[in-house]
Amino acid sequence: MTKNFLNEKELNALLNNPNITFKVYDSLISTNKTAKELAENGAKEGTVIVAKKQTGGRGRLGRSFYSPEGTGLYFSIILRPDFSPEQNLLITPAAAVAVSTVIEALTDTKAQIKWVNDIFINGKKVCGILSEAKLNAKGTTEYVILGIGINLTPPKGGFPKDIEFVAGALFNAPQNDTANEIMVKTVTTFLSLYQGLTDDKIYTEYEKRLMLKKAEVNYTENGEVKHGTVLGVDRSFNLIINKADGKEFHLSSGEVTIGSGNLVK
Ligand code: BTN
């Protein structure tokens, strides 16, 4: 890890945008947790909380996100969207599209999105996204914390045993493009999509990277494990599954596994 790895001054200078501020911490339990606390205390949209490592990085469905020092980007963007509920649904897919675009430009490799929001390259998960929203009493959005974790290089000694079959990194070794530059590119790419958030663009870009398209999967419907074939996603980013009985099922949350029980996460 170089001295400059995720340097607050350099990040803010590279960005040169008064509407976005990076706050860098050496270590946090979770950037989502700290971002939430800051948002509760009035932090502005565009505040980006960055940690060089997380001791309790969180993933979807109560999982953890392995976040060792010096080999990954762990950050959370505070958003205060003034969107319709339909537009709100686009925030997380827009982040998946933004990260995929940046990864493809950096690695010259096609990124795939494993529904809902995991990014894979060469069959390995290199990025996870966890967004958490707070609604106010009127049912409108007070803030959204968009948390993104990207593995840049493999950790020293490799990934822990329980995730080594699925976890990967963008590069085998540190590249010329520094972590600061990749961070700034990712945040600015996301924010430019966020500012003109339209359905069509995000949907098309997401759909074309959808992993498991046409794959046979297991999923859970009303607590029961079922089997079907993935057809795509609908406009609300639900997974469309062709069920064994030929009917379509739109899955809004949870996890799918390939074939007969192998968890693809
Ligand atoms: C997942 O894989 O299920 C989502 C992982 C999200 C990880 C990022 S790292 C930065 C932010 N802080 C967290 O605690 N989680 C997210």
Side-chain angles (χ1 to χ4, degrees):
M1 186 176 77
T2 63
K3 215 175 106 210
N4 239 9
F5 186 84
L6 298 178
N7 178 282
E8 186 171 295
K9 252 197 185 153
E10 189 168 322
L11 284 169
N12 285 311
L14 271 174
L15 191 69
N16 194 19
N17 180 337
N19 297 322
I20 308 171
T21 314
F22 284 101
K23 284 171 86 73
V24 180
Y25 298 77
D26 284 339
S27 175
L28 289 176
I29 297 173
S30 150
T31 56
N32 268 32
K33 179 174 183 289
T34 300
K36 210 183 272 181
E37 286 158 11
L38 293 171
E40 287 291 335
N41 285 314
K44 281 200 318 186
E45 165 154 298
T47 309
V48 186
I49 308 306
V50 179
K52 292 182 187 171
K53 70 170 184 184
Q54 297 183 114
T55 54
R58 301 200 305 239
R60 286 179 59 248
L61 307 173
R63 296 184 179 128
S64 60
F65 188 81
Y66 183 59
S67 316
E69 184 164 11
T71 58
L73 305 181
Y74 321 115
F75 61 102
S76 302
I77 310 175
I78 297 175
L79 302 169
R80 296 189 181 276
D82 188 11
F83 288 164
S84 63
E86 293 74 33
Q87 259 181 315
N88 272 337
L89 282 178
L90 295 170
I91 294 176
T92 322
V97 168
V99 175
S100 298
T101 315
V102 171
I103 289 177
E104 285 168 359
L106 288 169
T107 62
D108 213 12
T109 310
K110 194 168 181 300
Q112 291 191 294
I113 302 173
K114 164 135 195 300
W115 186 84
V116 183
N117 286 307
D118 291 340
I119 317 289
F120 279 63
I121 59 171
N122 301 322
K124 296 276 186 171
K125 174 171 167 175
V126 295
C127 168
I129 301 173
L130 175 68
S131 62
E132 300 176 278
K134 180 170 179 194
L135 305 182
N136 61 29
K138 282 184 258 153
T140 55
T141 308
E142 197 168 315
Y143 58 79
V144 174
I145 306 298
L146 177 66
I148 301 178
I150 303 174
N151 301 329
L152 294 178
T153 50
K156 261 197 200 133
F159 287 100
K161 281 269 166 288
D162 59 330
I163 56 168
E164 71 176 2
F165 74 102
V166 70
L170 301 194
F171 312 110
N172 291 327
Q175 300 293 297
N176 291 338
D177 247 331
T178 68
N180 296 330
E181 284 155 349
I182 299 173
M183 169 73 85
V184 168
K185 264 185 210 154
T186 309
V187 170
T188 50
T189 305
F190 167 73
L191 287 174
S192 62
L193 283 179
Y194 171 77
Q195 268 137 25
L197 207 55
T198 62
D199 199 2
D200 282 349
K201 177 138 193 233
I202 306 299
Y203 179 78
T204 314
E205 293 294 313
Y206 185 102
E207 243 269 338
K208 76 177 189 203
R209 296 182 176 87
L210 188 68
M211 202 169 142
L212 305 187
K213 202 165 184 178
K214 301 195 181 135
E216 302 269 309
V217 292
N218 298 313
Y219 63 97
T220 306
E221 184 184 357
N222 301 326
E224 217 183 294
V225 177
K226 298 199 171 163
H227 193 70
T229 309
V230 173
L231 298 178
V233 282
D234 64 22
R235 290 275 164 173
S236 305
F237 296 92
N238 300 314
L239 196 66
I240 311 170
I241 295 174
N242 188 21
K243 303 208 287 189
D245 62 8
K247 289 189 184 137
E248 267 184 25
F249 177 66
H250 292 225
L251 185 65
S252 62
S253 64
E255 199 72 86
V256 294
T257 62
I258 275 199
S260 50
N262 300 323
L263 194 64
V264 184
K265 181 153 170 120

